[in-house]
Amino acid sequence: MSGEAKLSAPEFACPSAGEGVPTHVAIIMDGNGRWAAKRGLPRFEGHRRGVEAIRRAVRSAGELGIRYLTVYSFSAENWRRPAQEVSDLMGLLKRFVRHDLAELHANNIRVRIIGERQGLTSDIVLLLDEAENLTRHNTGLTLVIAFNYGGRQEIVGAVRALAEKVRAGTLDPASIDCDLLEQHLDTHGIPDPDLVIRTSGEQRVSNFLTWQTAYSEFLFIPDFWPDFDDAIFRAAIDEYCRRERRFGGLSARAG
Ligand code: IPE
Ligand code: IPE
Ligand code: MG
């Protein structure tokens, strides 16, 4: 059966690929450590297998017609982990960018990195800049990597930038509104996530896209991130398509 036929099967709520599917899916990739512990493996192995799950998710997102995929890779609070694990996670990011950048580019994928660059080593900053610059004009899926990212820190950064403009006399405080604040976030130009998926059964946001998720749909699934695959992704999109978003208005389904 072709992918297309599978998508329009009766059990799939989205009418067809690209129609009704969310424009932007953001994923809190959680459970690498528990995936490894369950198998008696070191946590690193869970993180390594987690990178493979990212590759699968990128492929699925493209096939499903999703335009933006954000993956939460390292939070501003993940520095609290043991130094060895932090170093492993930094190493995996470097390896991912070095190894996958050419292929992402060949697949017309645009890479955006959100999060604080300060505090990262210069080799990582250079790699992240290279990934963004190389793929800047690509027109396919936008892969947003949230690295050293914290939603609250991002809002503080935007507020600080606005305050600097007020101090410089170039901004009237009365003209600060949601649109202007948004333009000062790392995610400027990226539509808000329609759907946020968190794996591993935890039901919290952990400082992810605090501003942008004001009206996002949330889906918490029990699977650990390294097990995330195309079938799980499609089931999540199917669940999204069954939801009704109201944005404060009234139900379109009510008579
Ligand atoms: C997600 O898996 C990866 C990162 C947070 C970097 P975890 O490492 O949080 O795995 P668990 O939650 O301990 O199982
Ligand atoms: C959230 O997962 C951060 C990432 C997935 C990168 P954590 O495992 O760090 O979240 P908490 O600490 O359980 O809330
Ligand atoms: Mg976790």
Side-chain angles (χ1 to χ4, degrees):
M1 214 196 259
S2 78
E4 186 107 28
K6 210 168 145 199
L7 272 172
S8 51
E11 71 275 13
F12 199 76
C14 293
S16 65
E19 199 186 313
V21 302
T23 300
H24 182 176
V25 176
I27 307 183
I28 303 174
M29 310 182 293
D30 200 11
N32 293 351
R34 280 164 284 167
W35 181 93
K38 212 173 85 179
R39 289 163 176 77
L41 297 168
R43 290 179 61 84
F44 175 76
E45 193 53 25
H47 294 314
R48 201 183 63 77
R49 295 291 291 265
V51 176
E52 286 171 25
I54 297 176
R55 294 188 178 114
R56 284 196 295 273
V58 168
R59 215 173 307 130
S60 297
E63 286 171 16
L64 281 159
I66 290 161
R67 300 294 303 158
Y68 297 84
L69 176 70
T70 299
V71 290
Y72 200 7
S73 301
F74 191 88
S75 77
E77 289 75 32
N78 284 147
W79 296 101
R80 294 176 186 158
R81 296 188 179 200
Q84 183 59 54
E85 179 160 348
V86 169
S87 151
D88 286 344
L89 290 166
M90 296 290 152
L92 281 171
L93 174 81
K94 274 196 271 187
R95 218 172 306 164
F96 173 71
V97 176
R98 282 204 190 111
H99 186 269
D100 286 40
L101 183 57
E103 194 182 331
L104 292 169
H105 186 45
N107 286 321
N108 197 24
I109 292 169
R110 181 168 63 138
V111 178
R112 280 275 298 266
I113 317 288
I114 58 172
E116 189 52 66
R117 303 278 168 106
Q118 228 168 25
L120 300 177
T121 56
S122 56
D123 57 338
I124 292 188
V125 173
L126 281 173
L127 266 177
L128 298 182
D129 287 345
E130 184 193 341
E132 286 192 321
N133 290 332
L134 179 71
T135 63
R136 185 172 300 278
H137 300 296
N138 288 346
T139 55
L141 174 78
T142 297
L143 172 64
V144 183
I145 302 174
F147 197 81
N148 194 20
Y149 175 86
R152 286 182 166 180
Q153 291 84 339
E154 182 191 33
I155 294 168
V156 169
V159 169
R160 195 176 289 149
L162 292 170
E164 289 292 351
K165 289 181 182 177
V166 169
R167 183 165 68 173
T170 57
L171 177 65
D172 174 3
S175 62
I176 297 175
D177 58 11
C178 289
D179 283 345
L180 190 67
L181 193 138
E182 244 162 37
Q183 286 166 29
H184 291 78
L185 295 173
D186 293 356
T187 51
H188 59 88
I190 298 172
D192 288 343
D194 301 292
L195 173 66
V196 177
I197 302 170
R198 183 171 188 148
T199 56
S200 90
E202 305 300 346
Q203 301 191 22
R204 57 178 169 267
V205 175
S206 302
N207 206 10
F208 187 47
L209 299 175
T210 308
W211 173 278
Q212 299 86 342
T213 53
Y215 268 102
S216 301
E217 296 293 324
F218 281 82
L219 182 62
F220 299 100
I221 59 175
D223 314 81
F224 293 138
W225 176 248
D227 289 328
F228 193 86
D229 62 11
D230 187 61
I232 296 172
F233 206 162
R234 282 174 192 268
I237 300 306
D238 188 41
E239 162 66 22
Y240 171 84
C241 289
R242 291 175 206 276
R243 303 241 182 123
E244 189 194 17
R245 302 179 73 185
R246 291 198 281 277
F247 300 99
L250 296 181
S251 172
R253 290 173 192 169

